[in-house]
Amino acid sequence: MKNYLGSYLKSFQLSTLYVNQASENTSAQKLEHALSSSEPFVIGIIEIPCIKLTYPILSTTTDELLKISPCRFAGPMPNEVGNICIAGHNNANGTLFGKTYLLDLEDEIKLYDLSGNAISYIIFNKFEVDASNTSCLSQDTNGEKQVTLITCNNLKGSRTIIQAKAAI
């Protein structure tokens, strides 16, 4: 799996994608700051086989970074104990988290960490919350590994929350 992770990450030229989308010099400066951080810029990969979704997970969340890939919003690194909360745009063209509405309970989400280790997570909850509701960010997992996907519901002005637990 480590070779998979390395080859996958090399296929993403994030700085090139980002610069093409950046409309202002300040956006490029923000990317440069994110890349120079002591924390890795890409912290893993999220894969959801049933909707053919595969993206790198970026270490922090900014408006600029959300335009190019899902980002860690809160919680631990991938596959660590706790609730890693990953935010992603719900694009109408189906990119990023644009197809997560198709997910059902018991569907699988895979997270790869930087070592190439993969853990399968099984969806146990899917619901809508008001955009200001942050209860899904809770780190009270009773020692379990969890992932929470957060995206907007463009029609309702709310947030769609998808929660999954490690299938270990």
Side-chain angles (χ1 to χ4, degrees):
M1 279 300 154
K2 192 168 185 175
N3 288 337
Y4 170 75
L5 179 69
S7 64
Y8 182 77
L9 291 178
K10 287 178 186 176
S11 73
F12 273 89
Q13 296 178 2
L14 292 176
S15 59
T16 303
L17 279 170
Y18 188 84
V19 171
N20 288 341
Q21 292 187 13
S23 59
E24 299 178 14
N25 190 30
T26 56
S27 294
Q29 289 171 342
K30 288 178 185 177
L31 175 64
E32 185 177 326
H33 175 72
L35 289 171
S36 66
S37 170
S38 62
E39 187 172 73
F41 181 59
V42 174
I43 59 170
I45 294 173
I46 182 169
E47 180 180 20
I48 307 177
C50 67
I51 59 172
K52 297 177 177 47
L53 178 147
T54 306
Y55 284 103
I57 305 166
L58 305 184
S59 61
T60 58
T61 303
T62 67
D63 289 340
E64 291 81 17
L65 295 177
L66 282 169
K67 293 175 185 175
I68 58 172
S69 198
C71 301
R72 180 177 65 169
F73 188 75
M77 297 293 272
N79 301 332
E80 291 182 355
V81 171
N83 177 22
I84 181 170
C85 303
I86 302 171
H89 278 308
N90 180 359
N91 291 342
N93 66 2
T95 60
L96 298 176
F97 284 178
K99 292 182 182 176
T100 56
Y101 72 92
L102 297 169
L103 294 173
D104 291 317
L105 298 181
E106 300 190 19
D107 282 344
E108 176 188 39
I109 298 170
K110 285 186 179 181
L111 293 186
Y112 294 83
D113 60 27
L114 288 177
S115 298
N117 300 314
I119 292 183
S120 290
Y121 295 79
I122 304 301
I123 296 174
F124 71 90
N125 204 1
K126 181 179 174 181
F127 57 97
E128 299 278 327
V129 297
D130 182 80
S132 63
N133 184 330
T134 59
S135 62
C136 66
L137 305 178
S138 172
Q139 294 300 305
D140 184 15
T141 65
N142 294 321
E144 293 182 324
K145 297 176 184 180
Q146 292 185 9
V147 60
T148 297
L149 306 183
I150 305 165
T151 193
C152 53
N153 181 321
N154 298 327
L155 300 175
K156 297 179 182 177
S158 60
R159 302 262 185 250
T160 299
I161 308 298
I162 298 168
Q163 298 176 312
K165 291 181 183 180
I168 301 174

